Amino acid sequence: MSNVTILGIESSCDDTSCAVIRDGVLLSNVIASQAVHEAYGGVVPELASRAHQQNIVPVVSEAIRRAGIHRSELTAVAFTRGPGLLGSLLVGTSFAKGLAISLGIPMIEVNHLQAHVLAHFIKQSPDDNAHPAFPFICLLVSGGNSQIIRVEAYDRMEVIGQTIDDAAGEAFDKCAKVMGLGYPGGPIVNRLANEGNPRAFTFSKPHVPGYDYSFSGLKTSFLYTLRDALKDDPDFVEKHKADLCASLQATVIDILMDKLRRAVADTGIREVAVAGGVSANSGLRDAFRDHAECLGWNIFLPPNAFTTDNAAMVAMTGYFKYADGLFCPMDAAPYARVTSTIC
């Protein structure tokens, strides 16, 4: 199978992205972010879908141009079908259908979470073979998901642990909002955490059985710490911003790594990867390196460009599915949620 050229479209949340992959090698990956949500401290679904409508045509055109190909060379169109915001997904799904029909090529649906995991298989050059071997354990952490996934093959993944309430990225964003740090809060918390003391404050950790996560108690503990301290000192947050961020980040990472250690020990699988937006967090990456050194894990950290929502991971997933002839019908509709087994 050669000269298989997949165009991927990602529109699950607030980033419009398009990428082109040929024979597993990335030719282009274009992302248009939406600054309109910063004023609201979070993504506004209606504004997101409108922005996707404005961005989708120029983003796809630019991805094809940067790839140095003509649209007639495309073999198939892969698109994110879900999970995500329905209005945003509808824009990408509708465009993918129109493009596939106009070019007479098949269409491939992609699960957004599966794509994050398979981002580790994107080749940036023909001789790039740095990817996990099957089976492996993947910690998927983002603003909407915190999951431990056992990956047996590209099309066989089982969620063995997941958050029962908030996701890790959501905890970062909401605690950052309480401190008035802006949106998205995760990168700001990470930057300030590098300047603070991770043991300056103690926040509650959940006691959840199995491999499941919970971050709602941590958020409440953080909020109460600020509430009580602000009664005595109105400038408390400003004075202790770096230490608060460092302590928050350390607590989130401890919670994540504790369950991941158990999953790795119980399964005996030492190939361990991390994916999703929070995988760009420098503290979490350091924790993975520490565990690799101390416990003998063989770890895989994605390039920062492939941590947040991007179409390269969608195109890569589409490439795998194309090889097995897994095409989808034109009446495929997007979906907002998934079950515990993601594919």
Side-chain angles (χ1 to χ4, degrees):
M1 190 173 71
S2 61
N3 287 326
V4 174
T5 308
I6 308 294
L7 182 139
I9 295 174
E10 157 61 23
S11 68
S12 64
C13 190
D14 62 332
D15 286 335
T16 312
S17 182
C18 181
V20 178
I21 279 182
R22 173 169 286 171
D23 297 336
V25 179
L26 183 65
L27 302 183
S28 67
N29 186 36
V30 178
I31 302 175
S33 298
Q34 302 176 3
V36 65
H37 306 287
E38 293 177 9
Y40 301 93
V43 177
V44 181
E46 177 61 27
L47 296 180
S49 58
R50 290 181 185 177
H52 281 302
Q53 290 176 324
Q54 295 172 339
N55 294 336
I56 188 74
V57 172
V59 165
V60 172
S61 298
E62 181 63 12
I64 293 173
R65 186 192 70 79
R66 290 188 191 179
I69 66 168
H70 189 269
R71 61 180 178 275
S72 61
E73 298 177 62
L74 295 175
T75 309
V77 178
F79 68 99
T80 300
R81 186 177 176 187
L85 301 176
L86 279 178
S88 296
L89 290 165
L90 275 168
V91 177
T93 301
S94 300
F95 188 91
K97 290 178 180 180
L99 185 62
I101 290 172
S102 68
L103 297 177
I105 57 178
M107 194 167 64
I108 302 169
E109 64 173 275
V110 171
N111 179 300
H112 180 77
L113 305 182
Q114 180 189 18
H116 268 303
V117 176
L118 296 180
H120 286 281
F121 293 84
I122 300 168
K123 292 186 175 185
Q124 300 193 67
S125 64
D127 57 353
D128 180 4
N129 293 305
H131 59 76
F134 298 113
F136 66 93
I137 298 294
C138 185
L139 174 66
L140 174 57
V141 275
S142 66
N145 299 281
S146 292
Q147 300 177 330
I148 298 175
I149 304 169
R150 179 172 179 146
V151 186
E152 297 289 344
Y154 94 86
D155 58 348
R156 292 204 313 277
M157 302 183 189
E158 180 186 3
V159 177
I160 60 176
Q162 60 187 329
T163 180
I164 61 174
D165 42 55
D166 301 325
E170 185 180 1
F172 278 136
D173 287 341
K174 290 187 176 178
C175 290
K177 186 175 182 179
V178 171
M179 288 190 287
L181 298 183
Y183 178 85
I188 303 173
V189 169
N190 189 185
R191 176 175 55 80
L192 289 171
N194 293 332
E195 305 169 5
N197 176 7
R199 288 177 288 276
F201 299 95
T202 301
F203 305 118
S204 68
K205 296 180 182 179
H207 300 282
V208 180
Y211 307 133
D212 287 339
Y213 290 115
S214 170
F215 292 97
S216 63
L218 168 61
K219 286 193 320 179
T220 302
S221 175
F222 187 86
L223 177 62
Y224 286 174
T225 297
L226 264 59
R227 182 199 63 184
D228 295 342
L230 286 169
K231 291 177 182 177
D232 299 324
D233 183 3
D235 296 324
F236 173 80
V237 172
E238 189 61 34
K239 290 177 181 177
H240 301 279
K241 198 168 3 184
D243 287 345
L244 285 166
C245 288
S247 300
L248 170 66
Q249 178 171 291
T251 306
V252 170
I253 293 172
D254 282 349
I255 294 170
L256 290 171
M257 298 307 294
D258 176 64
K259 293 300 182 80
L260 184 62
R261 273 194 308 274
R262 295 187 203 178
V264 172
D266 292 348
T267 61
I269 300 172
R270 293 181 176 271
E271 296 271 304
V272 188
V274 62
V278 181
S279 67
N281 182 278
S282 61
L284 183 58
R285 285 174 173 253
D286 288 343
F288 261 74
R289 295 186 185 100
D290 290 343
H291 280 64
E293 183 177 346
C294 297
L295 301 177
W297 293 1
N298 189 21
I299 62 168
F300 297 87
L301 308 174
N304 282 344
F306 304 144
T307 56
T308 54
D309 294 346
N310 65 92
M313 65 185 191
V314 176
M316 189 68 240
T317 306
Y319 177 73
F320 278 118
K321 297 184 78 168
Y322 180 86
D324 287 341
L326 298 177
F327 309 134
C328 75
M330 283 294 164
D331 61 356
Y335 53 85
R337 299 180 184 275
V338 290
T339 60
S340 59
T341 301
I342 65 176
C343 61

